[in-house]
Amino acid sequence: MSGTLDTQELVTALKAAAEATRLRILLLLAAGELNVKDLTQILGQSQPRISRHLKLLAEAGLIERFREGSWVYFHVSERSEGGRLVRRILDTVDTRDPVLRRDSERADSLKREREAAAQTYFQEHAADWDRIRALYVSDAAVEAAITSALAGPPFKLFVDLGTGTGRMLEVFADRYERGIGLDVNKSMLAYASSKLNTSGLSRAEVRHGDIYDLSLPDGVADGVVIHQVLHYLSEPAHAIREAARILAPGGRLLIVDFAPHGIESLREEHAHERLGFEQEQVTAWLAEQGLAGIEVRNLEPEQGDDRQQLTVSLWLARRPEAVAAESKPQKLERIGS
């Protein structure tokens, strides 16, 4: 559905939303993406019943589903008139209701558990994170593609979200006047700070920061990188929204992550929340934030290296220049496909 709803579409959508459990589901999915197992835990209802409710909501165009490995996630549609209708309906709901508060608390608890697992993993592997990443795809190939994607004049402010070991701050050390790396994990920050000090990178600093709620003001960064971070997040679209918010007119955002794959062991062994991302999904998230010039490149595993099983995807997008700006829009270098 797009544009406006005809009478039958509107009736179908309202009927789908007009049931207590389905309204609770819509409130949860408006706050973040969840799968059937998540919803059964939060709502305390059976899997068949939850699945039936989700099916009705999807058929009415109120929610969307997408598959990642063997898991299917759902979220309120951002691209349909049905999804916009849902948000108008939810604006009228009193979220102080005890049942709804309990749902929200359980969802927050579930999110905290997942992200705590990822942080525990980071703490255990802070010193050898670069080596672990090399098991998936050649660092040299990825870094060459990254520097090519962001080729051009120096950045006044370069921001690395989920900086980890601070590697991106090192890679672009000669390309920015000031570099900031943000991460929530103290062990990672301590390690990154040590590396930067050893390298003598006085123009770079690392800080504690929440990728969902950045402490930076709007439109301050002309270069932003999210390198191998999204697959650890419960709400990757939220992180992209924050990255786009701090992007200055003409600034560029580069996302580097895995293409879809089916290696389920990465969930348990390496705390991956998502098994890669479809090109179209990330492109849609970028476009929804008003970014343009979106280009995608895939780096396939090297033949003959049995360790490398994953494809790395790069998404490059730009914040359009302000209409009143006198400077000429910066030309993006195409990075291929």
Side-chain angles (χ1 to χ4, degrees), residues 289-333:
Q289 301 310 313
L291 302 186
I294 301 170
E295 302 171 8
V296 185
R297 179 179 180 182
N298 288 321
L299 301 177
E300 304 288 345
E302 297 175 8
Q303 294 184 356
D305 190 336
D306 293 336
R307 298 176 307 167
Q308 297 181 8
Q309 305 176 56
L310 304 174
T311 295
V312 172
S313 296
L314 293 82
W315 291 265
L316 178 64
R318 176 179 57 85
R319 169 70 67 194
E321 293 279 4
V323 174
E326 296 180 0
S327 59
K328 185 178 180 180
Q330 183 179 4
K331 182 179 180 182
L332 284 173
E333 177 186 355

Side-chain angles (χ1 to χ4, degrees), residues 10 21 29 34 45 83 99 122 126 222 253 269 278 322 328 330:
L10 180 58
T21 297
L29 296 184
L34 298 168
Q45 298 185 19
V99 173
F122 286 147
D222 48 351
L253 168 62
E269 297 176 13
E278 295 284 353
K328 185 178 180 180
Q330 183 179 4

